[in-house]
Amino acid sequence: MAFDTLEMPYGTFEYVVGGAATFSSIAASLLTHGVRIVGIVGEDFPQDYLDFLRKREIDTLGVEQVPGKSFFWRGRYSADLASRETLDTQLNVFANFQPKIPESHRSTPYVLLGNIHPQLQLDVLDQVEKPKLVAADTMNFWISGESATLNKLLGRTDLLIINDEEARQLSGIDNIVRAAADIRKRGPSRLIIKRGEFGSLLFDEAGTFFCPGYPLEEVRDPTGAGDTFAGGLLGYVARHGDTSALTLRRAMFFGSALASFCVEDVGTTRIGKVTRSELDARIQAFARLVDYGGSLALPAEESR
Amino acid sequence: MAFDTLEMPYGTFEYVVGGAATFSSIAASLLTHGVRIVGIVGEDFPQDYLDFLRKREIDTLGVEQVPGKSFFWRGRYSADLASRETLDTQLNVFANFQPKIPESHRSTPYVLLGNIHPQLQLDVLDQVEKPKLVAADTMNFWISGESATLNKLLGRTDLLIINDEEARQLSGIDNIVRAAADIRKRGPSRLIIKRGEFGSLLFDEAGTFFCPGYPLEEVRDPTGAGDTFAGGLLGYVARHGDTSALTLRRAMFFGSALASFCVEDVGTTRIGKVTRSELDARIQAFARLVDYGGSLALPAEESR
């Protein structure tokens, strides 16, 4: 849970509430009840925002508020929003974060480990009892700097959700298909590789599955889209109550649909306002986007 | 029809047979009979290669062979094969090419206009009688240098097949969805925007459709993949004998499947060897790649 200052091509937005837990939990709360977040914020974090989360029935018992400032990130996006540059990172209260899972939350069945130090991700896992699905994210910084700890985490992860550059870095393999095979050998039986607007690939026991990004007329801010995708995915799985390969494939459409809302405005502005009927409409649009009538059989050749 | 010298990261391949007509016709011939090509080659073009096309039942009556050298292109690919640089282009016999459609071919129902000067594309259209579908490709060079002629062509094109950079350049709009809407207003009621390995988008009267690229373990040479896609697409439409929106959506999978073979080896090496059973297997793999069981309905929420 964080503040982001976003330098967009069309203007700068100061101290926007962001952070993986924020985006993910809002997305999940659109699909299931009982979403719980764990995180740390400083005294500067707006009470209003915590209230907003609680109104969405997101349990914030695991959110510590401590003296000091909240995590802060400042970034500048390129003109086409396809890349961004970090201008400033201030860990602040995050520097000494030790995630504590409330006693009542230890039996949480579906666990999404946001991108933090892999040792902290492991510490969370040590505090939960036999979850049905452990999903995790990570980033280049931990892949290069904490590979031994990250490997331990991979051994305890069911579903790794990373982007294509991270997959290449983690495996040392340029080709995405071979990179995926390599990563799955290290622990996660399931792997989702995100490719931004180009969609995402799932590699699991059922083979390879592709879910597109939703083609949008306007993208305002890609920040948090990946976290929204992961939160929506887990939210759908939790709602469904099973972790089958087919459920996971369908969950990707919900994750992708929610991510497509997320990018329509700055920070959590848009995702925080999505209604169930808007989500239903976009899911239907998604179904049309990939609808080829179900059959790819070749017709008999006409007479020659 | 051309010679390409390909400087790949793993070696240089001299005077490989290429050209849009070559790739497209081979792809189409895997799906339908009666494929006809129109083009020009020099004395240096191998008779063996023309024989190879004819053995595939590709009608080469429209291929002129004239004194001089065939079109030649030399290019160098980047390490990841995602971009390429033109090192040399020699028009040779192509400089004075005037496409002539043989009398017997004027009633060809499905016409694919490969990327050449838009005036030559128009000249071809003047020689065919009421085709059921006119598909066309173009490139940055004609978009910037021959916009008036290109606009005439667009007015006579049913299906434009271009890549995302060309769509942006043609429309002057960065966003692909809005670029597509702009381009369709200029004539083509149907537009396919190709995005290489990331798949392709179809914009038409039925809405927007997305077909992924097939995830491959190894890509050797992207040259001709777009032409193979277009040829496979038209070949499927011709085989089906209708130009409905649903047929076009299905045709994209066949185009994409054939393109996925094309890139597996240099030039037409791989696409020239694909068997029907290999194609069937890849189409089935494609169907699995996008199979989410057909339903995206949300299950009822469990009791709270």
Side-chain angles (χ1 to χ4, degrees):
Chain A
M1 304 180 77
F3 286 122
D4 296 332
T5 287
L6 305 162
E7 297 191 12
M8 311 308 291
Y10 51 87
T12 294
F13 299 81
E14 307 270 1
Y15 284 81
V16 174
V17 173
T22 310
F23 287 103
S24 295
S25 63
I26 293 172
S29 74
L30 277 153
L31 292 166
T32 188
H33 296 287
V35 177
R36 298 157 171 175
I37 49 176
V38 175
I40 192 163
V41 296
E43 297 157 310
D44 53 357
F45 199 82
Q47 198 58 43
D48 281 2
Y49 202 91
L50 293 171
D51 289 342
F52 158 75
L53 295 176
R54 288 182 201 117
K55 267 190 209 127
R56 305 185 66 89
E57 303 183 30
I58 296 168
D59 186 328
T60 60
L61 189 64
V63 177
E64 272 181 275
Q65 192 154 22
V66 297
K69 287 181 173 181
S70 302
F71 180 98
F72 174 78
W73 178 81
R74 185 183 187 100
R76 183 184 295 145
Y77 279 87
S78 62
D80 63 358
L81 304 180
S83 62
R84 68 186 184 192
E85 170 188 9
T86 291
L87 302 174
D88 192 11
T89 302
Q90 296 171 19
L91 292 179
N92 298 331
V93 298
F94 205 74
N96 299 307
F97 181 40
Q98 292 293 334
K100 292 173 210 59
I101 310 298
E103 193 60 43
S104 57
H105 291 10
R106 297 198 169 202
S107 60
T108 299
Y110 306 100
V111 176
L112 174 58
L113 301 170
N115 164 37
I116 46 173
H117 193 298
Q119 185 56 56
L120 299 188
Q121 293 174 309
L122 284 166
D123 291 347
V124 170
L125 286 187
D126 286 341
Q127 297 174 64
V128 293
E129 292 155 8
K130 295 184 190 162
K132 291 184 190 167
L133 184 77
V134 174
D137 185 13
T138 190
M139 72 183 291
N140 51 4
F141 190 68
W142 314 122
I143 294 170
S144 60
E146 295 289 344
S147 63
T149 315
L150 184 58
N151 272 332
K152 266 192 230 168
L153 177 74
L154 292 180
R156 295 176 66 183
T157 298
D158 302 310
L159 170 63
L160 185 69
I161 306 175
I162 54 180
N163 70 33
D164 43 5
E165 280 319 304
E166 289 155 357
R168 290 192 174 101
Q169 191 190 355
L170 182 55
S171 63
I173 298 170
D174 258 4
N175 178 279
I176 284 296
V177 179
R178 285 186 287 130
D182 176 87
I183 292 166
R184 290 182 64 213
K185 280 186 203 143
R186 302 181 190 204
S189 61
R190 292 156 157 194
L191 169 66
I192 289 175
I193 298 181
K194 297 173 292 180
R195 311 180 101 176
E197 64 170 316
F198 299 114
S200 49
L201 282 160
L202 166 66
F203 299 88
D204 67 6
E205 70 278 13
T208 307
F209 177 69
F210 179 84
C211 176
Y214 189 77
L216 290 170
E217 290 198 19
E218 193 181 2
V219 173
R220 295 260 299 166
D221 177 15
T223 311
D227 300 314
T228 301
F229 171 85
L233 185 97
L234 272 274
Y236 182 87
V237 169
R239 164 114 171 206
H240 222 275
D242 83 78
T243 61
S244 72
L246 189 57
T247 294
L248 210 56
R249 287 177 170 217
R250 289 171 175 167
M252 287 174 74
F253 282 99
F254 285 81
S256 193
L258 289 168
S260 78
F261 283 116
C262 176
V263 302
E264 287 182 343
D265 209 342
V266 170
T268 61
T269 310
R270 182 70 182 102
I271 190 70
K273 282 193 296 210
V274 172
T275 64
R276 261 306 299 278
S277 69
E278 284 177 326
L279 176 58
D280 288 347
R282 187 148 302 174
I283 287 291
Q284 283 166 34
F286 242 115
R288 290 193 297 274
L289 180 71
V290 298
D291 179 16
Y292 63 92
S295 166
L296 290 176
L298 267 179
E301 180 92 38
E302 281 177 52
S303 63
R304 294 162 61 177
Chain B
M1 305 180 76
F3 287 121
D4 296 332
T5 288
L6 305 162
E7 298 191 11
M8 311 307 289
Y10 51 86
T12 293
F13 298 81
E14 306 271 1
Y15 283 81
V16 174
V17 172
T22 311
F23 287 104
S24 296
S25 63
I26 293 172
S29 73
L30 277 153
L31 291 166
T32 188
H33 297 288
V35 177
R36 298 156 170 176
I37 49 177
V38 175
I40 191 163
V41 296
E43 297 157 311
D44 54 355
F45 199 82
Q47 198 59 41
D48 279 2
Y49 203 92
L50 292 171
D51 289 342
F52 158 75
L53 295 176
R54 288 182 201 116
K55 267 190 209 127
R56 305 186 66 88
E57 304 184 30
I58 295 168
D59 186 327
T60 60
L61 189 64
V63 177
E64 272 182 276
Q65 191 153 22
V66 299
K69 287 180 173 180
S70 302
F71 181 97
F72 173 78
W73 178 80
R74 185 183 187 100
R76 182 185 295 145
Y77 278 88
S78 61
D80 63 359
L81 305 180
S83 61
R84 68 186 185 193
E85 169 190 8
T86 291
L87 302 175
D88 191 10
T89 303
Q90 296 171 18
L91 292 179
N92 297 332
V93 297
F94 205 73
N96 299 307
F97 181 40
Q98 292 294 333
K100 291 174 211 58
I101 310 298
E103 194 61 42
S104 57
H105 291 10
R106 298 196 169 203
S107 60
T108 299
Y110 306 101
V111 176
L112 174 59
L113 301 169
N115 164 37
I116 45 173
H117 193 298
Q119 185 55 56
L120 298 189
Q121 293 174 308
L122 284 166
D123 291 347
V124 170
L125 285 187
D126 286 340
Q127 298 174 63
V128 292
E129 292 156 8
K130 294 185 190 162
K132 291 183 190 169
L133 184 77
V134 174
D137 185 11
T138 190
M139 72 183 291
N140 52 3
F141 189 69
W142 314 122
I143 295 170
S144 60
E146 295 290 343
S147 63
T149 315
L150 184 58
N151 272 332
K152 266 193 231 170
L153 177 74
L154 292 180
R156 295 176 66 183
T157 298
D158 302 308
L159 169 63
L160 185 68
I161 307 175
I162 54 180
N163 70 33
D164 43 6
E165 280 318 304
E166 289 154 357
R168 291 193 174 100
Q169 191 190 354
L170 181 55
S171 63
I173 298 171
D174 258 4
N175 178 278
I176 284 296
V177 179
R178 285 186 287 130
D182 175 88
I183 292 166
R184 290 182 64 213
K185 280 185 202 142
R186 301 182 190 203
S189 61
R190 293 157 156 194
L191 169 65
I192 289 175
I193 299 181
K194 298 173 290 179
R195 310 180 100 176
E197 64 170 316
F198 298 113
S200 49
L201 282 160
L202 165 65
F203 300 87
D204 67 7
E205 70 279 13
T208 307
F209 178 69
F210 179 84
C211 176
Y214 189 77
L216 290 170
E217 291 198 19
E218 194 183 3
V219 172
R220 296 260 299 165
D221 176 15
T223 311
D227 299 314
T228 301
F229 172 85
L233 185 96
L234 271 274
Y236 181 86
V237 169
R239 164 108 170 212
H240 222 276
D242 84 76
T243 61
S244 72
L246 189 57
T247 293
L248 210 55
R249 288 177 169 217
R250 290 172 174 165
M252 287 175 75
F253 282 99
F254 285 82
S256 194
L258 288 168
S260 77
F261 283 116
C262 175
V263 303
E264 287 182 344
D265 209 342
V266 170
T268 60
T269 311
R270 181 71 182 100
I271 191 68
K273 283 193 297 209
V274 172
T275 64
R276 261 306 298 277
S277 69
E278 284 177 326
L279 175 58
D280 289 347
R282 187 147 301 176
I283 286 291
Q284 282 167 33
F286 242 114
R288 290 192 298 273
L289 179 71
V290 298
D291 180 15
Y292 63 91
S295 167
L296 291 176
L298 268 178
E301 181 91 37
E302 280 177 51
S303 62
R304 295 160 61 178

